[in-house]
Amino acid sequence: MAIGAPQRLRILNDQTALGFILDAGSISRAELEKLTGLSKPATTELLNRLEAAGLAEKSGKRDGGPGPSAQLWRVRPEAGYGAAVEVQPGRITVTIADLAATPVAHVQQSWNESSGAADVGRCIDAACDDAGLVRSQLLHLVVAIPGALDPRTGMLRYAPHLPAWNGTNVTAALRSELGIPTEVENDVNLMALSEMKNGLAEQAENFALVWIDDGVGSAIVLRKELFTGLTGGAGEIDYLPVSAGPGTGTEDPQERLKLGDLLSPEAITDLATAHGLKYPLPEKAIAAAAAHDVVHPFIQDLASRIALGLAAVVTVLDPDLIMLGGKFGAAGGQNLASVVQEELSRVLATSPASATRIVSYPVTDGAALSGALQTALAKARDKAFATGSIVTP
Protein backbone atom coordinates (compact mmCIF):
# COMPACT_ATOMS: atom_id res chain seq x y z
CA MET A 1 0.00 0.00 0.00
CA ALA A 2 1.34 3.44 -0.92
CA ILE A 3 2.33 5.75 1.91
CA GLY A 4 0.46 9.07 1.96
CA ALA A 5 2.23 12.41 2.20
CA PRO A 6 1.41 13.06 5.91
CA GLN A 7 2.60 9.60 6.89
CA ARG A 8 5.76 9.95 4.80
CA LEU A 9 6.50 13.28 6.51
CA ARG A 10 6.03 11.65 9.89
CA ILE A 11 8.46 8.89 8.93
CA LEU A 12 11.10 11.45 7.94
CA ASN A 13 10.54 13.41 11.14
CA ASP A 14 10.93 10.26 13.23
CA GLN A 15 14.12 9.21 11.47
CA THR A 16 15.59 12.72 11.74
CA ALA A 17 14.72 12.87 15.42
CA LEU A 18 16.37 9.51 16.08
CA GLY A 19 19.53 10.83 14.46
CA PHE A 20 19.50 13.91 16.71
CA ILE A 21 18.91 11.79 19.81
CA LEU A 22 21.70 9.40 18.82
CA ASP A 23 24.16 12.27 18.23
CA ALA A 24 23.30 13.87 21.57
CA GLY A 25 23.41 10.66 23.59
CA SER A 26 20.49 11.87 25.66
CA ILE A 27 18.22 14.83 24.98
CA SER A 28 15.23 16.64 26.47
CA ARG A 29 11.96 17.22 24.66
CA ALA A 30 12.63 20.96 24.53
CA GLU A 31 16.08 20.41 22.97
CA LEU A 32 14.65 18.03 20.40
CA GLU A 33 11.88 20.52 19.65
CA LYS A 34 14.47 23.17 18.77
CA LEU A 35 16.50 20.80 16.61
CA THR A 36 13.54 19.47 14.62
CA GLY A 37 11.51 22.68 14.42
CA LEU A 38 8.38 20.79 15.47
CA SER A 39 5.81 22.10 17.91
CA LYS A 40 5.74 20.98 21.54
CA PRO A 41 2.71 18.67 21.01
CA ALA A 42 4.20 17.20 17.83
CA THR A 43 7.55 16.54 19.55
CA THR A 44 5.81 14.90 22.50
CA GLU A 45 3.80 12.69 20.15
CA LEU A 46 6.97 11.81 18.25
CA LEU A 47 8.79 10.70 21.39
CA ASN A 48 5.82 8.64 22.53
CA ARG A 49 5.68 7.00 19.10
CA LEU A 50 9.41 6.14 19.19
CA GLU A 51 9.05 4.72 22.68
CA ALA A 52 6.08 2.56 21.61
CA ALA A 53 8.13 1.26 18.68
CA GLY A 54 10.94 0.24 21.04
CA LEU A 55 13.44 2.67 19.49
CA ALA A 56 13.68 5.34 22.21
CA GLU A 57 13.42 5.28 25.98
CA LYS A 58 13.48 7.61 28.97
CA SER A 59 16.96 7.93 30.47
CA GLY A 60 16.63 9.87 33.71
CA LYS A 61 16.24 13.56 34.32
CA ARG A 62 18.50 16.59 34.13
CA ASP A 63 18.69 18.70 37.30
CA GLY A 64 20.35 22.02 38.03
CA GLY A 65 18.14 24.52 36.22
CA PRO A 66 15.17 26.58 37.34
CA GLY A 67 11.82 24.86 37.29
CA PRO A 68 11.10 21.13 37.15
CA SER A 69 13.76 18.66 36.08
CA ALA A 70 13.81 17.89 32.35
CA GLN A 71 13.01 14.36 31.26
CA LEU A 72 15.78 12.96 29.05
CA TRP A 73 15.43 10.54 26.19
CA ARG A 74 17.92 8.30 24.41
CA VAL A 75 17.90 5.79 21.57
CA ARG A 76 17.28 2.35 23.00
CA PRO A 77 20.61 0.59 22.36
CA GLU A 78 19.04 -2.87 22.24
CA ALA A 79 16.93 -1.85 19.23
CA GLY A 80 19.60 -3.42 17.06
CA TYR A 81 23.26 -4.29 16.67
CA GLY A 82 25.98 -3.86 14.07
CA ALA A 83 28.99 -6.13 13.67
CA ALA A 84 32.41 -5.84 12.10
CA VAL A 85 34.82 -8.57 11.05
CA GLU A 86 38.46 -8.14 10.10
CA VAL A 87 39.95 -11.04 8.17
CA GLN A 88 43.75 -11.19 8.12
CA PRO A 89 46.20 -13.97 7.35
CA GLY A 90 46.20 -16.10 10.48
CA ARG A 91 43.33 -14.48 12.38
CA ILE A 92 39.74 -13.31 12.38
CA THR A 93 38.51 -10.53 14.70
CA VAL A 94 34.86 -9.72 15.42
CA THR A 95 33.38 -6.73 17.24
CA ILE A 96 29.66 -6.26 17.96
CA ALA A 97 28.19 -2.93 19.13
CA ASP A 98 24.71 -1.66 19.93
CA LEU A 99 23.12 1.27 18.10
CA ALA A 100 24.77 3.73 20.48
CA ALA A 101 28.17 2.37 19.32
CA THR A 102 28.85 0.72 22.68
CA PRO A 103 30.84 -2.50 22.12
CA VAL A 104 29.16 -5.56 23.60
CA ALA A 105 31.57 -8.26 22.38
CA HIS A 106 35.07 -8.56 20.94
CA VAL A 107 36.49 -11.93 19.89
CA GLN A 108 39.64 -12.92 18.05
CA GLN A 109 40.38 -16.41 16.77
CA SER A 110 43.16 -18.02 14.78
CA TRP A 111 42.38 -18.79 11.15
CA ASN A 112 43.81 -20.96 8.42
CA GLU A 113 43.95 -18.96 5.17
CA SER A 114 42.93 -22.10 3.28
CA SER A 115 39.61 -22.19 5.15
CA GLY A 116 36.43 -20.49 4.03
CA ALA A 117 33.41 -18.59 5.27
CA ALA A 118 32.41 -21.15 7.94
CA ASP A 119 35.28 -19.97 10.15
CA VAL A 120 33.94 -16.43 10.01
CA GLY A 121 30.54 -17.74 11.10
CA ARG A 122 32.07 -19.57 14.06
CA CYS A 123 33.87 -16.43 15.21
CA ILE A 124 30.68 -14.37 14.89
CA ASP A 125 28.75 -16.95 16.89
CA ALA A 126 31.41 -16.86 19.61
CA ALA A 127 31.02 -13.07 19.81
CA CYS A 128 27.22 -13.39 19.87
CA ASP A 129 27.50 -15.91 22.72
CA ASP A 130 29.63 -13.45 24.69
CA ALA A 131 27.02 -10.73 24.19
CA GLY A 132 24.03 -12.97 24.82
CA LEU A 133 22.79 -12.50 21.26
CA VAL A 134 21.93 -14.60 18.24
CA ARG A 135 23.03 -13.88 14.66
CA SER A 136 19.60 -12.68 13.60
CA GLN A 137 19.90 -9.69 15.96
CA LEU A 138 22.78 -8.35 13.89
CA LEU A 139 21.14 -5.86 11.53
CA HIS A 140 24.25 -5.40 9.40
CA LEU A 141 27.73 -6.88 9.13
CA VAL A 142 30.77 -5.40 7.39
CA VAL A 143 33.79 -7.59 6.66
CA ALA A 144 37.20 -5.94 6.20
CA ILE A 145 39.47 -7.95 3.95
CA PRO A 146 42.83 -7.38 2.22
CA GLY A 147 42.42 -7.34 -1.54
CA ALA A 148 40.31 -5.53 -4.14
CA LEU A 149 36.62 -6.42 -4.30
CA ASP A 150 34.77 -5.93 -7.58
CA PRO A 151 31.47 -4.24 -6.59
CA ARG A 152 29.77 -5.56 -9.73
CA THR A 153 30.45 -9.22 -9.11
CA GLY A 154 31.63 -9.58 -5.51
CA MET A 155 34.84 -11.19 -6.78
CA LEU A 156 37.96 -10.78 -4.65
CA ARG A 157 41.14 -9.99 -6.58
CA TYR A 158 44.78 -9.33 -5.68
CA ALA A 159 44.58 -11.45 -2.52
CA PRO A 160 47.09 -14.32 -2.96
CA HIS A 161 47.57 -14.36 0.84
CA LEU A 162 43.95 -15.59 1.15
CA PRO A 163 44.06 -18.58 -1.23
CA ALA A 164 40.61 -19.91 -0.27
CA TRP A 165 38.95 -16.67 -1.35
CA ASN A 166 41.19 -15.13 -3.99
CA GLY A 167 39.36 -15.10 -7.32
CA THR A 168 36.01 -16.11 -5.78
CA ASN A 169 32.74 -14.32 -5.07
CA VAL A 170 33.52 -13.87 -1.41
CA THR A 171 30.48 -11.64 -0.83
CA ALA A 172 28.06 -14.33 -1.99
CA ALA A 173 29.91 -17.02 -0.01
CA LEU A 174 29.70 -15.03 3.21
CA ARG A 175 26.06 -14.06 2.75
CA SER A 176 25.12 -17.66 2.06
CA GLU A 177 27.06 -18.96 5.06
CA LEU A 178 26.06 -16.28 7.56
CA GLY A 179 22.45 -15.66 6.62
CA ILE A 180 22.53 -12.00 7.69
CA PRO A 181 22.95 -8.73 5.71
CA THR A 182 26.65 -8.65 4.87
CA GLU A 183 28.94 -6.44 2.83
CA VAL A 184 32.65 -6.85 2.18
CA GLU A 185 35.12 -4.00 1.80
CA ASN A 186 38.85 -3.56 1.35
CA ASP A 187 40.58 -3.07 4.70
CA VAL A 188 42.54 0.04 3.67
CA ASN A 189 39.33 1.65 2.38
CA LEU A 190 37.78 1.11 5.79
CA MET A 191 40.84 2.59 7.51
CA ALA A 192 40.38 5.71 5.39
CA LEU A 193 36.73 5.97 6.43
CA SER A 194 37.75 5.66 10.07
CA GLU A 195 40.32 8.46 9.72
CA MET A 196 37.78 10.68 7.99
CA LYS A 197 35.38 10.41 10.93
CA ASN A 198 37.71 11.22 13.80
CA GLY A 199 41.32 11.06 12.69
CA LEU A 200 43.99 12.60 10.50
CA ALA A 201 41.61 13.15 7.57
CA GLU A 202 38.76 14.66 9.57
CA GLN A 203 39.16 18.07 7.90
CA ALA A 204 40.05 16.79 4.42
CA GLU A 205 37.53 16.94 1.60
CA ASN A 206 39.62 14.83 -0.79
CA PHE A 207 42.43 12.54 0.35
CA ALA A 208 44.25 9.28 -0.19
CA LEU A 209 45.58 6.72 2.26
CA VAL A 210 48.58 5.17 0.50
CA TRP A 211 49.45 1.75 1.91
CA ILE A 212 53.05 0.57 1.41
CA ASP A 213 53.33 -2.89 2.87
CA ASP A 214 53.76 -6.36 1.33
CA GLY A 215 51.84 -4.76 -1.55
CA VAL A 216 51.17 -1.15 -2.52
CA GLY A 217 47.70 0.34 -2.76
CA SER A 218 45.63 3.32 -1.77
CA ALA A 219 42.16 4.24 -0.60
CA ILE A 220 40.68 7.24 -2.41
CA VAL A 221 38.12 9.57 -0.81
CA LEU A 222 36.56 12.29 -2.96
CA ARG A 223 34.15 14.85 -1.50
CA LYS A 224 34.10 12.73 1.66
CA GLU A 225 32.89 9.67 -0.25
CA LEU A 226 34.91 6.52 -0.81
CA PHE A 227 35.76 6.09 -4.50
CA THR A 228 36.44 2.52 -5.62
CA GLY A 229 35.95 2.79 -9.39
CA LEU A 230 34.13 0.52 -11.81
CA THR A 231 35.82 -2.74 -10.77
CA GLY A 232 36.95 -1.81 -7.27
CA GLY A 233 40.50 -1.24 -8.53
CA ALA A 234 40.74 2.52 -7.99
CA GLY A 235 43.91 3.25 -6.04
CA GLU A 236 45.70 -0.01 -6.91
CA ILE A 237 48.90 1.90 -7.67
CA ASP A 238 51.02 -1.24 -7.18
CA TYR A 239 50.42 -1.86 -10.89
CA LEU A 240 51.36 1.66 -12.02
CA PRO A 241 53.99 1.36 -14.82
CA VAL A 242 57.17 3.27 -14.08
CA SER A 243 60.36 3.79 -16.06
CA ALA A 244 63.59 2.39 -14.76
CA GLY A 245 66.57 4.63 -14.26
CA PRO A 246 68.27 6.52 -11.43
CA GLY A 247 66.90 5.67 -8.02
CA THR A 248 64.98 2.62 -9.26
CA GLY A 249 67.63 -0.04 -8.84
CA THR A 250 68.53 -0.29 -12.51
CA GLU A 251 70.08 2.17 -14.90
CA ASP A 252 68.35 0.87 -18.04
CA PRO A 253 65.69 3.48 -18.91
CA GLN A 254 64.12 1.06 -21.40
CA GLU A 255 63.29 -1.48 -18.73
CA ARG A 256 59.65 -1.31 -17.65
CA LEU A 257 58.70 -1.89 -14.06
CA LYS A 258 55.63 -1.39 -11.94
CA LEU A 259 55.60 0.67 -8.75
CA GLY A 260 55.16 -2.45 -6.64
CA ASP A 261 58.48 -3.75 -7.95
CA LEU A 262 60.24 -0.71 -6.49
CA LEU A 263 58.50 -0.80 -3.11
CA SER A 264 58.33 -4.53 -2.39
CA PRO A 265 59.97 -5.83 0.81
CA GLU A 266 62.77 -7.34 -1.30
CA ALA A 267 63.35 -4.13 -3.26
CA ILE A 268 63.46 -2.00 -0.10
CA THR A 269 65.85 -4.45 1.54
CA ASP A 270 68.13 -4.36 -1.53
CA LEU A 271 68.06 -0.56 -1.54
CA ALA A 272 68.92 -0.43 2.17
CA THR A 273 71.78 -2.90 1.69
CA ALA A 274 73.15 -0.83 -1.19
CA HIS A 275 73.37 2.07 1.26
CA GLY A 276 75.17 -0.03 3.86
CA LEU A 277 72.12 -0.66 6.04
CA LYS A 278 71.77 -4.31 7.03
CA TYR A 279 68.68 -5.07 9.10
CA PRO A 280 66.60 -8.26 9.36
CA LEU A 281 63.43 -6.38 8.36
CA PRO A 282 63.11 -3.54 5.82
CA GLU A 283 60.92 -1.49 8.18
CA LYS A 284 63.75 -1.53 10.72
CA ALA A 285 66.14 -0.12 8.12
CA ILE A 286 63.64 2.64 7.26
CA ALA A 287 63.10 3.57 10.91
CA ALA A 288 66.84 3.64 11.64
CA ALA A 289 67.69 5.77 8.60
CA ALA A 290 64.80 8.17 9.20
CA ALA A 291 66.02 8.79 12.75
CA HIS A 292 69.16 10.59 11.46
CA ASP A 293 69.37 14.34 11.96
CA VAL A 294 70.16 14.81 8.28
CA VAL A 295 68.40 13.08 5.39
CA HIS A 296 70.00 9.68 4.88
CA PRO A 297 70.68 8.80 1.20
CA PHE A 298 68.58 5.64 1.63
CA ILE A 299 65.58 7.75 2.76
CA GLN A 300 66.14 10.11 -0.16
CA ASP A 301 66.09 7.26 -2.68
CA LEU A 302 63.11 5.59 -1.02
CA ALA A 303 61.22 8.90 -1.02
CA SER A 304 61.97 9.26 -4.74
CA ARG A 305 60.39 5.87 -5.41
CA ILE A 306 57.32 6.70 -3.35
CA ALA A 307 56.98 10.06 -5.11
CA LEU A 308 56.80 8.25 -8.47
CA GLY A 309 53.51 6.71 -7.39
CA LEU A 310 52.16 9.74 -5.57
CA ALA A 311 52.76 11.96 -8.60
CA ALA A 312 50.13 9.97 -10.50
CA VAL A 313 47.67 10.27 -7.62
CA VAL A 314 48.24 14.00 -7.14
CA THR A 315 48.13 15.04 -10.81
CA VAL A 316 44.84 13.18 -11.36
CA LEU A 317 43.06 13.90 -8.06
CA ASP A 318 44.79 16.98 -6.61
CA PRO A 319 43.85 15.88 -3.06
CA ASP A 320 44.11 17.94 0.12
CA LEU A 321 46.01 15.21 1.91
CA ILE A 322 47.95 11.99 1.41
CA MET A 323 48.63 9.71 4.37
CA LEU A 324 51.55 7.28 4.13
CA GLY A 325 50.65 4.06 5.90
CA GLY A 326 51.50 0.38 5.94
CA LYS A 327 54.50 -1.02 7.78
CA PHE A 328 56.94 0.52 5.26
CA GLY A 329 55.09 3.77 4.58
CA ALA A 330 54.76 4.56 8.27
CA ALA A 331 58.14 3.23 9.46
CA GLY A 332 59.95 6.47 8.66
CA GLY A 333 57.37 8.61 10.45
CA GLN A 334 56.99 12.25 9.57
CA ASN A 335 60.67 12.48 8.60
CA LEU A 336 60.08 10.20 5.62
CA ALA A 337 56.79 11.94 4.83
CA SER A 338 58.55 15.30 4.74
CA VAL A 339 61.21 14.05 2.33
CA VAL A 340 58.48 12.56 0.14
CA GLN A 341 56.75 15.96 0.23
CA GLU A 342 59.92 17.67 -0.98
CA GLU A 343 60.53 15.08 -3.68
CA LEU A 344 56.94 15.30 -4.88
CA SER A 345 57.21 19.08 -5.09
CA ARG A 346 60.33 18.68 -7.20
CA VAL A 347 58.70 16.13 -9.52
CA LEU A 348 55.59 18.30 -9.90
CA ALA A 349 57.39 21.64 -10.05
CA THR A 350 55.57 22.63 -13.23
CA SER A 351 52.18 21.25 -12.18
CA PRO A 352 49.48 23.30 -10.45
CA ALA A 353 48.62 20.19 -8.43
CA SER A 354 51.55 20.41 -6.01
CA ALA A 355 50.02 21.66 -2.75
CA THR A 356 49.00 18.26 -1.38
CA ARG A 357 50.07 17.74 2.23
CA ILE A 358 51.89 14.48 3.01
CA VAL A 359 51.67 13.05 6.54
CA SER A 360 52.66 9.82 8.21
CA TYR A 361 49.86 7.44 9.14
CA PRO A 362 51.06 5.29 12.06
CA VAL A 363 50.18 1.63 11.71
CA THR A 364 47.22 1.23 14.06
CA ASP A 365 45.97 -2.22 14.96
CA GLY A 366 42.21 -2.31 14.67
CA ALA A 367 41.82 0.69 12.33
CA ALA A 368 40.13 -1.40 9.62
CA LEU A 369 37.86 -2.98 12.22
CA SER A 370 36.91 0.47 13.48
CA GLY A 371 36.00 1.62 9.98
CA ALA A 372 34.02 -1.56 9.40
CA LEU A 373 32.07 -1.05 12.63
CA GLN A 374 31.28 2.57 11.77
CA THR A 375 29.95 1.47 8.40
CA ALA A 376 27.98 -1.43 9.88
CA LEU A 377 26.37 0.77 12.54
CA ALA A 378 25.32 3.37 9.98
CA LYS A 379 23.51 0.65 8.00
CA ALA A 380 22.13 -0.97 11.18
CA ARG A 381 20.65 2.34 12.31
CA ASP A 382 19.06 2.88 8.91
CA LYS A 383 17.40 -0.52 9.19
CA ALA A 384 16.34 -0.06 12.81
CA PHE A 385 14.87 3.34 11.99
CA ALA A 386 13.12 2.05 8.87
CA THR A 387 9.47 2.74 8.14
CA GLY A 388 8.06 -0.50 9.46
CA SER A 389 9.79 -0.09 12.82
CA ILE A 390 8.52 3.40 13.45
CA VAL A 391 5.11 3.96 11.97
CA THR A 392 2.17 2.49 13.84
CA PRO A 393 -1.32 2.18 12.40
Side-chain angles (χ1 to χ4, degrees):
M1 184 175 67
I3 299 175
Q7 190 176 13
R8 186 179 296 109
L9 180 60
R10 189 173 68 177
I11 293 168
L12 293 174
N13 285 340
D14 288 355
Q15 291 174 334
T16 300
L18 281 163
F20 285 137
I21 299 169
L22 197 59
D23 289 342
S26 60
I27 198 169
S28 69
R29 178 206 50 77
E31 291 167 335
L32 186 59
E33 183 182 325
K34 289 181 180 179
L35 288 170
T36 60
L38 297 173
S39 66
K40 178 178 178 180
T43 306
T44 300
E45 180 186 350
L46 180 152
L47 286 168
N48 290 336
R49 189 163 60 246
L50 295 180
E51 184 177 31
L55 294 173
E57 63 184 7
K58 298 180 180 70
S59 61
K61 295 187 175 182
R62 181 184 295 141
D63 298 317
S69 300
Q71 176 67 59
L72 298 177
W73 295 79
R74 68 174 182 175
V75 169
R76 184 171 172 267
E78 300 84 359
Y81 298 87
V85 174
E86 183 177 13
V87 176
Q88 297 174 300
R91 69 180 186 183
I92 300 172
T93 308
V94 176
T95 293
I96 299 173
D98 62 29
L99 292 188
T102 302
V104 297
H106 182 81
V107 170
Q108 186 173 99
Q109 294 183 350
S110 60
W111 183 56
N112 183 335
E113 297 82 21
S114 298
S115 300
D119 286 347
V120 177
R122 281 190 284 272
C123 197
I124 289 173
D125 287 340
C128 284
D129 288 344
D130 281 0
L133 304 173
V134 293
R135 271 195 215 178
S136 60
Q137 290 177 273
L138 305 180
L139 298 182
H140 201 79
L141 169 70
V142 175
V143 180
I145 193 166
L149 196 81
D150 189 329
R152 305 168 304 168
T153 63
M155 298 292 287
L156 181 68
R157 299 175 295 131
Y158 314 130
H161 39 295
L162 301 179
W165 286 351
N166 190 36
T168 68
N169 188 333
V170 66
T171 302
L174 286 168
R175 287 175 178 169
S176 175
E177 173 67 33
L178 303 177
I180 55 177
T182 301
E183 65 178 295
V184 183
E185 184 56 87
N186 171 263
D187 53 358
V188 178
N189 286 347
L190 290 167
M191 292 179 201
L193 293 179
S194 178
E195 288 302 307
M196 181 173 60
K197 185 171 179 63
N198 49 21
L200 291 173
E202 190 172 2
Q203 303 302 318
E205 187 79 11
N206 307 294
F207 70 92
L209 170 53
V210 175
W211 200 252
I212 306 173
D213 208 288
D214 293 332
V216 182
S218 60
I220 306 295
V221 173
L222 301 177
R223 298 179 181 176
K224 293 192 175 294
E225 294 286 340
L226 186 65
F227 178 76
T228 57
L230 176 65
T231 67
E236 293 293 339
I237 58 175
D238 191 298
Y239 300 90
L240 180 71
V242 295
S243 296
T248 65
T250 175
E251 298 302 314
D252 182 1
Q254 300 303 312
E255 184 176 348
R256 304 299 295 179
L257 303 171
K258 60 185 181 69
L259 185 65
D261 295 330
L262 303 184
L263 296 174
S264 69
E266 297 77 14
I268 295 174
T269 296
D270 289 346
L271 182 62
T273 301
H275 284 286
L277 300 172
K278 296 183 179 180
Y279 287 84
L281 297 172
E283 59 266 39
K284 297 293 185 182
I286 296 171
H292 286 224
D293 292 334
V294 296
V295 177
H296 193 284
F298 165 59
I299 293 296
Q300 186 68 60
D301 281 353
L302 180 62
S304 296
R305 295 184 179 192
I306 295 172
L308 282 174
L310 298 195
V313 174
V314 170
T315 52
V316 173
L317 302 179
D318 192 16
D320 315 5
L321 174 73
I322 289 180
M323 298 181 287
L324 292 183
K327 60 187 176 187
F328 305 138
Q334 193 55 41
N335 285 346
L336 173 60
S338 296
V339 180
V340 172
Q341 179 96 62
E342 294 170 2
E343 185 62 18
L344 187 63
S345 297
R346 185 189 66 78
V347 171
L348 300 179
T350 59
S351 169
S354 58
T356 299
R357 185 165 60 98
I358 314 293
V359 300
S360 176
Y361 175 66
V363 178
T364 305
D365 193 32
L369 194 67
S370 175
L373 187 60
Q374 289 174 18
T375 305
L377 285 174
K379 298 288 182 66
R381 289 162 184 160
D382 286 345
K383 290 172 184 176
F385 300 168
T387 302
S389 302
I390 298 175
V391 178
T392 55

